[in-house]
Amino acid sequence: MPKLTRELLKRFAFVWVICLIVASLQPFRPPATRGRASHKHQIEHVVVFGATALLLLALARTGKEEWKAVGGVFCLAVAIEISQFLIYHLAAFEWWDVREDSIGAAIALLIHQVWPFVVP
């Protein structure tokens, strides 16, 4: 079984983020994602963006890098929502999605503070 290395985790995180962007911007927009989202959709945002933050936090070596990881996830969330707003001509910017994404990243930071997982 291959050992989890920093390089392997970097590659996985890169692929994860690319898949997140592609899935978020693909043209099929399920009805549940138009307008105010369902609780299931909100939980999906918290979990997916929390997992993204945990991946990046595992790569952080300093407190400054931890904040950059969480800030990067927030910026990614905003960039995705701006892109969706512009591409799909949405009636309103989906701030509630950014809120759930931020909650996921904040929960990930709390988890990382309690149970740090750092790849050497």
Side-chain angles (χ1 to χ4, degrees), residues 16 18 23 28 30 45-48 51-53 55 63 70 73 78 88 92 94 100 102:
W16 175 276
I18 294 298
F28 173 69
H45 270 268
V46 171
V47 170
V48 170
T52 304
L55 275 172
V70 173
V73 171
V78 171
Y88 300 112
E94 297 178 335
E100 273 91 44
S102 301

Side-chain angles (χ1 to χ4, degrees), residues 21-98:
I21 293 168
V22 169
S24 297
L25 298 180
Q26 52 82 25
F28 173 69
R29 309 306 308 157
T33 63
R34 294 186 194 123
R36 290 249 175 213
S38 68
H39 290 297
K40 179 181 179 251
H41 183 73
Q42 291 173 313
I43 292 168
E44 288 169 351
H45 270 268
V46 171
V47 170
V48 170
F49 281 83
T52 304
L54 280 174
L55 275 172
L56 299 178
L57 284 165
L59 292 167
R61 291 185 173 162
T62 66
K64 186 176 180 180
E65 287 179 357
E66 289 174 355
W67 284 104
K68 283 182 180 180
V70 173
V73 171
F74 173 77
C75 290
L76 176 63
V78 171
I80 287 172
E81 293 305 325
I82 288 172
S83 298
Q84 288 176 343
F85 178 75
L86 295 174
I87 292 169
Y88 300 112
H89 309 287
L90 301 177
F93 184 84
E94 297 178 335
W95 283 108
W96 49 88
D97 281 351
V98 174

